[in-house]
Amino acid sequence: MDSVQLGDRVLALFEDGRSFLFKVQDGKLQTHHGIIDLASLVGKNYGSVCETHTKERFYIMKPRLVDEIYKMKRQTQIVYPKDIGFILLMLDVHEGKTVIDAGVGSGAMCAALARAVGTKGKVYAYERREEFKKLAQENLTKWGLADRVEIKLRDISEGFDERVDAIFLDVPDPWNYIRQCYEALNGSGNIAIVCPTTNQVQHVLEEISKFSFVGIEVWESLFRQYKPVADRLRPFDRMVAHTAYMIFARKVMNDWRD
Amino acid sequence: MDSVQLGDRVLALFEDGRSFLFKVQDGKLQTHHGIIDLASLVGKNYGSVCETHTKERFYIMKPRLVDEIYKMKRQTQIVYPKDIGFILLMLDVHEGKTVIDAGVGSGAMCAALARAVGTKGKVYAYERREEFKKLAQENLTKWGLADRVEIKLRDISEGFDERVDAIFLDVPDPWNYIRQCYEALNGSGNIAIVCPTTNQVQHVLEEISKFSFVGIEVWESLFRQYKPVADRLRPFDRMVAHTAYMIFARKVMNDWRD
Amino acid sequence: MDSVQLGDRVLALFEDGRSFLFKVQDGKLQTHHGIIDLASLVGKNYGSVCETHTKERFYIMKPRLVDEIYKMKRQTQIVYPKDIGFILLMLDVHEGKTVIDAGVGSGAMCAALARAVGTKGKVYAYERREEFKKLAQENLTKWGLADRVEIKLRDISEGFDERVDAIFLDVPDPWNYIRQCYEALNGSGNIAIVCPTTNQVQHVLEEISKFSFVGIEVWESLFRQYKPVADRLRPFDRMVAHTAYMIFARKVMNDWRD
Amino acid sequence: MDSVQLGDRVLALFEDGRSFLFKVQDGKLQTHHGIIDLASLVGKNYGSVCETHTKERFYIMKPRLVDEIYKMKRQTQIVYPKDIGFILLMLDVHEGKTVIDAGVGSGAMCAALARAVGTKGKVYAYERREEFKKLAQENLTKWGLADRVEIKLRDISEGFDERVDAIFLDVPDPWNYIRQCYEALNGSGNIAIVCPTTNQVQHVLEEISKFSFVGIEVWESLFRQYKPVADRLRPFDRMVAHTAYMIFARKVMNDWRD
């Protein structure tokens, strides 16, 4: 049986659907349903029921990365789980790969990339704002992913130091860094660019056509959730209508035209 | 520079958009654009241009898993990349995890799971039809993932042999195996079920409510692709309207009601 | 020039996007931007600017039916404009036609039907709850459509008094009234049924197959709105995910099997 | 009972789902299921079964406008029924209204507008290509709507002759005619513009902001159809992903800024 260890991150899930995500250590956590004595959770099985000091019950769950992302401290728009999974697939990021994450922000996508490359891979993360670098570093450390990510405080117009298998580019003016990305990619390497407006997509398409990229694709995703009620199955009333357009391309060494 | 090795799998991409996916070995490949001498590719850099015997040019690319999936030999409906990425996230499958894949089919999702758990993880795959087991085995071997997957020829009504962190259930009557899945999951473990019809979703929701699961969510995804033309940006005329509904849940050890 | 007459319904549109819909008559209207002297609007051109007593400016617009629907007093879920237009087309309701509206509710769809059949057409509306009949009557009178609608306080399980060209059925258990609808339709007449859950759709499809209907179609619509900003064109963040499924069919006199 | 008259347009619907739309007159129609003697249909009830000379059965149905549109001879991209209904609502086109249809094309939207304004209303249709004017005229005549539509062979850069309640603008470069539309609209009048690309939408938004319009909205619609099978209810595999963006606005006489 898999039980809670000191230092684990744990998701406490109350019956009303509210949840708390914390590290198991000495100390107490005040919730709307009473106080949780954190150290008392050590040794409990994951998935089992515990109680606050007022006898309110909660489940102790292992947080998924999506739980961490939804609950993370953020100062920027994040990439949504609905898009993260598809981007990882299209970038073909997996165990042992090297990736550049340009425009780290709060670190959500960086964490997803770091998980995907595993302990043998490496993520080189670039961020030009000190406070975001610090926040991302904190988040990655908290999630145990800091050792496979190197965050650099840098304006990417200067270019990247590495040659990598894949690049994720999430900055307000991605069209200005296509050359730098092209140069940093290995042959056959994959790039993913996200941007919220159609105008940005147009600029990227214009610029990317000047470099030797193939397989250029532009996508958007709509995820719709249903009320999980067997005898009245129907979607919820409202949904996310838009997060970002996703642009994908693959580097080749020279052009058909050369 | 990253160059083609004997035994590599390579995607040959022609200017007309057509592509061929093969293993680099002795022999020749007949294409619509002339013959490729496979062994002659060894040592070429990925992303570079090669020629057929009729001087038709093509790029040599590293196939992504999505390329393999789109080109795989299949005898069943597969899980689409648009859904695969999201399912991996929701199952929180990552390096070192153990997963059950029930209803292997042609092995597309199995491969995605195997990639995600990495060399330290394990996928236990169940399939009751001999020919699908064989096909999945072939596909996984081809993709270099066979060592981390154990495929069992088995009717899952008998239950599973393992206790795992996550289960992916893709069979025509998933509601009949909720008990078996519940028993095979570790506490706090995640399950994902896919089914094409609303009636199936209703049956699953009815049955899953009899076991101690929390966080039950039902989703569907719509991915829309745009023509990548900077000055006439618009979606393609048609799109995939439906693949499958995705149901997610997390095991707890006992119920609020207990 | 088209100017405001006493008795007109007018939409006052303020610069902050807020609006008021009222009848031009003697009296005053208190708004968040000051008082409007209603009678003073008489003779002003539509589309021109007026002022409240505090000199706040507003446009006087002719309300569209969609404005009326969004601002109407309602006690029930209404059919949304995104669906109304399509339903009118599929029912082929136009000048001079006769229609049954079963389950009037607040009268939004009834008004749309009444507008479509014109002065020469007729809508027979059925409603079994006194308070809804009253509310719908008020709304239709307000919109000048009462003369072409006859609202009957009636449980439709008793059947309809008329033979009509089209039926719109919007009740919680539509599958119970398929026979009544079949009998009330002229040959080749069209029926539209709306229901929010997949379970309801399934019941309707099951029941409707017992009668001589052809051209059975089930649809749902998703409307997505964009921020109208030329240099940052993108969808709004959120949208309506679901209102109702729409089922359409056409009556024939007997079955292929007969 | 409603029966077929000489001169009626009739939809013959065969069991295999194929259909034929024709005018009832002297003569014979060759179908894949045998010959239909057209005059023999006179007097038959709509919705009843008839037979070809080889005893193949078909239903005789009243064609809806949507049937006519799907079967019409066309030489241009048409506005789809999924968008037509919504546009009619947003333009608030109803009995007695006057409308300009600029860019008639094959006449589908023109027909919908003509039906909506009824016998007391009027549609002024502008088209600069002789062959489209001819085609639209033929289609409108066929559908009995020609008397309420006046088609002018004209380049709309010269402006319109009328002042109307609503304008529907469907040309490749709508941004070039915003002034002409503004001038032709009555105060509080509604305009709808359709265009397939995001770039066109951006141009329209830029230009329309130079004139006194309020209530500017941009929409797109996605309609998804379900297989009408009670015990396996699910969407069809594929759907229309895109037709056109719809831009709506309302004329005011002067600007907030004036």
Side-chain angles (χ1 to χ4, degrees):
Chain A
M1 289 295 281
D2 205 5
S3 63
V4 176
Q5 309 297 316
L6 203 69
D8 277 9
R9 289 183 63 76
V10 162
L11 184 78
L13 184 61
F14 284 88
E15 197 172 358
D16 63 3
R18 292 186 61 183
S19 60
F20 294 85
L21 215 172
F22 50 81
K23 185 176 174 179
V24 174
Q25 52 194 347
D26 287 333
K28 306 206 179 275
L29 180 77
Q30 176 71 54
T31 78
H32 62 306
H33 285 310
I35 294 163
I36 301 176
D37 177 357
L38 297 181
S40 76
L41 301 180
V42 173
K44 306 268 187 181
N45 290 325
Y46 277 105
S48 64
V49 169
C50 295
E51 292 184 347
T52 64
H53 84 297
T54 52
K55 305 291 178 196
E56 302 263 6
R57 305 168 80 199
F58 60 90
Y59 286 120
I60 43 173
M61 308 298 285
K62 289 194 189 178
R64 298 167 303 181
L65 181 59
V66 293
D67 298 315
E68 296 280 8
I69 288 174
Y70 281 126
K71 289 198 166 287
M72 70 190 278
K73 207 167 77 185
R74 71 185 70 159
Q75 296 174 321
T76 50
Q77 184 58 42
I78 61 161
V79 183
Y80 272 67
K82 77 186 186 69
D83 298 327
I84 290 177
F86 189 64
I87 293 169
L88 292 177
L89 271 188
M90 293 296 276
L91 287 181
D92 208 49
V93 172
H94 60 277
E95 205 175 25
K97 290 286 169 181
T98 54
V99 190
I100 285 172
D101 175 22
V104 171
S106 310
M109 190 67 204
C110 192
L113 292 166
R115 280 248 305 227
V117 299
T119 47
K120 298 172 212 152
K122 191 85 187 179
V123 178
Y124 303 97
Y126 287 76
E127 177 57 56
R128 63 183 179 76
R129 293 155 301 179
E130 179 70 44
E131 73 272 26
F132 287 126
K133 176 175 181 295
K134 194 161 161 295
L135 174 60
Q137 192 72 56
E138 276 172 28
N139 281 328
L140 292 163
T141 301
K142 196 169 64 183
W143 301 331
L145 296 166
D147 55 337
R148 55 185 93 165
V149 182
E150 184 182 341
I151 312 187
K152 305 183 177 191
L153 192 68
R154 177 93 65 84
D155 187 320
I156 60 171
S157 63
E158 300 165 28
F160 303 104
D161 303 328
E162 303 81 15
R163 291 276 296 213
V164 293
D165 302 313
I167 295 180
F168 176 70
L169 180 60
D170 181 8
V171 297
D173 57 339
W175 54 88
N176 285 327
Y177 312 104
I178 304 298
R179 184 182 53 75
Q180 291 86 334
C181 289
Y182 181 82
E183 288 169 359
L185 273 177
N186 287 327
S188 185
N190 300 293
I191 185 169
I193 303 168
V194 292
C195 36
T197 76
T198 58
N199 311 66
Q200 290 169 306
V201 176
Q202 292 159 10
H203 288 155
V204 168
L205 290 175
E206 214 169 293
E207 193 61 22
I208 214 168
S209 71
K210 300 176 186 164
F211 294 86
S212 296
F213 282 104
V214 295
I216 297 168
E217 296 186 9
V218 180
W219 288 91
E220 68 175 333
S221 75
L222 289 165
F223 276 72
R224 190 161 72 151
Q225 191 173 6
Y226 285 69
K227 298 185 184 177
V229 182
D231 57 354
R232 291 192 306 279
L233 182 66
R234 48 156 293 177
F236 280 95
D237 289 327
R238 294 182 67 80
M239 64 187 277
V240 172
H242 183 67
T243 50
Y245 299 101
M246 297 173 276
I247 307 165
F248 303 102
R250 309 170 79 170
K251 172 177 174 171
V252 290
M253 305 309 289
N254 45 17
D255 209 87
W256 301 114
R257 296 161 291 195
D258 296 348
Chain B
M1 290 293 281
D2 205 5
S3 63
V4 175
Q5 309 297 316
L6 203 68
D8 277 9
R9 289 183 64 76
V10 163
L11 185 78
L13 184 61
F14 285 88
E15 197 173 358
D16 63 3
R18 292 186 60 184
S19 60
F20 295 84
L21 215 173
F22 49 83
K23 183 177 176 179
V24 174
Q25 53 194 346
D26 287 331
K28 309 214 178 262
L29 181 77
Q30 177 71 53
T31 79
H32 63 305
H33 285 309
I35 294 163
I36 301 176
D37 178 357
L38 296 181
S40 75
L41 302 180
V42 173
K44 306 270 186 180
N45 289 326
Y46 276 106
S48 65
V49 169
C50 295
E51 293 184 348
T52 64
H53 84 298
T54 53
K55 304 292 178 199
E56 302 262 6
R57 306 168 81 201
F58 60 91
Y59 287 119
I60 44 173
M61 308 298 284
K62 287 193 189 180
R64 299 168 301 181
L65 181 59
V66 292
D67 298 314
E68 295 281 8
I69 288 174
Y70 281 126
K71 289 197 167 288
M72 70 190 279
K73 207 167 75 185
R74 71 185 70 159
Q75 295 173 323
T76 49
Q77 185 57 42
I78 60 162
V79 183
Y80 272 66
K82 77 184 186 71
D83 298 328
I84 290 176
F86 188 64
I87 293 169
L88 291 177
L89 271 188
M90 293 295 276
L91 286 181
D92 208 49
V93 172
H94 60 277
E95 206 175 26
K97 290 285 167 184
T98 53
V99 190
I100 285 172
D101 176 22
V104 171
S106 309
M109 190 67 203
C110 192
L113 292 166
R115 279 249 305 230
V117 299
T119 47
K120 297 172 213 153
K122 192 85 186 180
V123 178
Y124 303 97
Y126 287 75
E127 176 57 55
R128 63 180 179 77
R129 293 154 301 180
E130 179 70 45
E131 73 273 25
F132 287 126
K133 175 174 183 295
K134 197 162 160 292
L135 174 60
Q137 191 72 56
E138 276 172 28
N139 281 329
L140 291 164
T141 301
K142 197 169 63 182
W143 302 331
L145 297 166
D147 54 337
R148 55 186 94 163
V149 182
E150 185 182 341
I151 311 187
K152 304 183 177 191
L153 192 68
R154 176 95 62 86
D155 188 321
I156 60 171
S157 62
E158 301 165 28
F160 304 104
D161 303 328
E162 303 81 14
R163 291 277 296 214
V164 293
D165 302 313
I167 296 181
F168 176 70
L169 180 60
D170 181 9
V171 297
D173 56 339
W175 55 88
N176 285 326
Y177 312 104
I178 304 299
R179 184 182 52 75
Q180 291 85 335
C181 290
Y182 182 82
E183 288 170 359
L185 273 177
N186 286 328
S188 185
N190 301 292
I191 185 168
I193 304 168
V194 292
C195 37
T197 76
T198 57
N199 311 67
Q200 290 169 306
V201 175
Q202 292 158 11
H203 288 155
V204 168
L205 289 174
E206 213 169 294
E207 194 61 22
I208 214 168
S209 71
K210 300 176 186 165
F211 294 86
S212 295
F213 283 104
V214 294
I216 298 168
E217 297 186 8
V218 181
W219 288 91
E220 69 175 335
S221 75
L222 288 166
F223 276 73
R224 189 162 71 152
Q225 190 173 7
Y226 285 68
K227 298 185 182 177
V229 182
D231 57 354
R232 292 192 305 279
L233 181 66
R234 48 156 293 178
F236 281 94
D237 289 327
R238 294 184 66 79
M239 65 188 278
V240 173
H242 183 66
T243 51
Y245 300 101
M246 298 173 277
I247 306 164
F248 303 102
R250 309 170 80 169
K251 172 178 174 172
V252 289
M253 304 310 289
N254 45 15
D255 209 270
W256 302 114
R257 295 161 291 195
D258 294 349
Chain C
M1 290 294 281
D2 205 5
S3 63
V4 176
Q5 309 297 315
L6 204 69
D8 277 9
R9 289 183 63 77
V10 163
L11 183 77
L13 183 61
F14 284 89
E15 196 172 359
D16 63 4
R18 293 186 61 183
S19 60
F20 294 84
L21 215 173
F22 50 82
K23 184 176 174 179
V24 175
Q25 54 194 345
D26 288 332
K28 309 213 177 265
L29 180 78
Q30 177 71 54
T31 79
H32 62 307
H33 286 308
I35 293 164
I36 301 175
D37 177 356
L38 296 181
S40 75
L41 302 180
V42 173
K44 307 268 186 181
N45 289 327
Y46 276 105
S48 64
V49 169
C50 295
E51 293 183 348
T52 65
H53 83 298
T54 53
K55 303 292 178 199
E56 302 262 6
R57 306 169 79 201
F58 60 92
Y59 286 119
I60 44 172
M61 309 298 285
K62 289 194 189 178
R64 299 167 302 182
L65 182 58
V66 291
D67 299 315
E68 296 280 8
I69 289 175
Y70 281 126
K71 288 197 168 287
M72 69 191 278
K73 207 166 74 184
R74 71 185 70 160
Q75 295 173 322
T76 50
Q77 184 58 43
I78 60 162
V79 183
Y80 272 68
K82 78 185 185 71
D83 298 328
I84 290 176
F86 189 64
I87 292 169
L88 292 177
L89 271 188
M90 294 295 276
L91 285 181
D92 208 48
V93 172
H94 60 277
E95 205 175 25
K97 290 286 168 182
T98 53
V99 191
I100 285 172
D101 176 22
V104 171
S106 309
M109 190 68 204
C110 192
L113 292 166
R115 279 250 304 230
V117 299
T119 47
K120 298 172 213 152
K122 191 84 185 180
V123 179
Y124 304 97
Y126 287 76
E127 176 58 56
R128 61 182 181 78
R129 294 156 299 180
E130 178 71 44
E131 72 273 26
F132 288 126
K133 176 175 182 294
K134 196 162 160 292
L135 174 60
Q137 192 73 55
E138 276 172 28
N139 282 328
L140 291 164
T141 301
K142 196 169 63 183
W143 302 331
L145 296 166
D147 54 338
R148 54 186 94 166
V149 182
E150 184 181 341
I151 311 187
K152 305 184 177 191
L153 192 69
R154 176 94 64 86
D155 187 320
I156 60 172
S157 61
E158 301 165 28
F160 303 103
D161 302 328
E162 304 81 14
R163 290 277 295 213
V164 293
D165 303 312
I167 296 180
F168 176 70
L169 179 60
D170 180 10
V171 297
D173 56 340
W175 54 88
N176 285 326
Y177 312 103
I178 304 299
R179 183 182 53 74
Q180 291 86 333
C181 288
Y182 181 83
E183 288 169 1
L185 273 177
N186 287 328
S188 186
N190 301 293
I191 184 169
I193 304 167
V194 292
C195 36
T197 75
T198 58
N199 310 66
Q200 289 169 306
V201 176
Q202 292 159 10
H203 288 156
V204 168
L205 289 175
E206 213 170 296
E207 193 62 20
I208 213 168
S209 71
K210 300 176 188 166
F211 294 86
S212 296
F213 282 105
V214 294
I216 297 168
E217 297 185 9
V218 181
W219 288 91
E220 69 175 334
S221 75
L222 288 166
F223 277 72
R224 189 161 73 151
Q225 192 173 6
Y226 285 69
K227 298 185 182 176
V229 182
D231 57 354
R232 292 192 306 279
L233 181 66
R234 49 156 292 177
F236 280 95
D237 289 325
R238 294 183 67 78
M239 64 188 278
V240 172
H242 183 67
T243 49
Y245 300 99
M246 297 173 276
I247 306 165
F248 303 102
R250 309 170 79 170
K251 172 178 175 171
V252 289
M253 305 311 288
N254 45 15
D255 208 88
W256 302 114
R257 296 161 291 196
D258 295 348
Chain D
M1 289 295 282
D2 205 5
S3 63
V4 176
Q5 309 297 317
L6 203 68
D8 278 8
R9 290 183 62 77
V10 163
L11 184 77
L13 183 61
F14 284 88
E15 197 173 357
D16 63 4
R18 293 186 61 184
S19 60
F20 295 83
L21 215 173
F22 50 82
K23 184 176 175 180
V24 174
Q25 53 195 347
D26 287 332
K28 311 218 177 259
L29 179 77
Q30 178 71 55
T31 79
H32 63 307
H33 285 309
I35 295 164
I36 301 175
D37 177 357
L38 297 181
S40 76
L41 302 179
V42 173
K44 305 269 186 180
N45 289 327
Y46 277 106
S48 64
V49 169
C50 295
E51 292 183 347
T52 65
H53 83 298
T54 53
K55 305 292 177 196
E56 302 263 8
R57 306 168 80 199
F58 60 90
Y59 286 120
I60 44 173
M61 309 297 285
K62 289 194 188 179
R64 298 167 303 181
L65 182 58
V66 292
D67 298 315
E68 296 280 9
I69 288 174
Y70 281 127
K71 289 199 167 286
M72 69 191 279
K73 207 166 76 184
R74 70 184 70 157
Q75 295 174 322
T76 50
Q77 184 58 43
I78 59 161
V79 183
Y80 272 66
K82 77 186 185 71
D83 298 327
I84 289 176
F86 189 64
I87 293 169
L88 291 176
L89 271 188
M90 293 296 276
L91 286 181
D92 207 49
V93 172
H94 60 276
E95 205 174 27
K97 291 286 169 180
T98 54
V99 189
I100 285 172
D101 175 22
V104 171
S106 309
M109 189 68 203
C110 192
L113 292 166
R115 279 249 303 230
V117 299
T119 47
K120 298 172 212 152
K122 191 84 186 179
V123 179
Y124 303 97
Y126 286 75
E127 176 58 56
R128 63 181 180 77
R129 293 155 300 180
E130 178 71 44
E131 73 272 27
F132 288 125
K133 175 174 182 295
K134 196 163 159 292
L135 174 59
Q137 192 72 56
E138 277 172 27
N139 281 329
L140 291 163
T141 302
K142 197 169 63 183
W143 301 332
L145 297 166
D147 54 337
R148 54 185 94 164
V149 182
E150 184 181 342
I151 311 186
K152 304 184 177 192
L153 192 68
R154 176 93 65 86
D155 187 321
I156 60 171
S157 61
E158 301 164 27
F160 303 103
D161 303 328
E162 303 81 14
R163 290 277 296 213
V164 293
D165 303 312
I167 296 180
F168 176 71
L169 180 60
D170 181 10
V171 297
D173 56 340
W175 54 89
N176 286 326
Y177 312 104
I178 303 299
R179 183 181 54 74
Q180 291 86 334
C181 288
Y182 182 82
E183 288 170 359
L185 273 177
N186 287 327
S188 185
N190 301 293
I191 183 169
I193 304 168
V194 291
C195 36
T197 76
T198 57
N199 311 67
Q200 290 169 306
V201 176
Q202 292 159 10
H203 288 155
V204 168
L205 290 174
E206 213 170 294
E207 194 61 23
I208 214 169
S209 71
K210 300 176 186 164
F211 294 86
S212 296
F213 283 105
V214 295
I216 298 169
E217 297 185 9
V218 181
W219 288 90
E220 68 175 333
S221 76
L222 288 166
F223 277 72
R224 190 161 72 152
Q225 191 173 6
Y226 285 67
K227 298 186 184 177
V229 182
D231 57 356
R232 291 192 306 280
L233 181 67
R234 48 156 292 178
F236 280 94
D237 290 326
R238 295 184 66 80
M239 65 188 277
V240 172
H242 183 67
T243 51
Y245 300 101
M246 298 173 276
I247 306 164
F248 302 102
R250 308 170 80 168
K251 173 178 174 171
V252 289
M253 305 310 289
N254 45 16
D255 209 270
W256 301 115
R257 294 162 292 195
D258 296 347

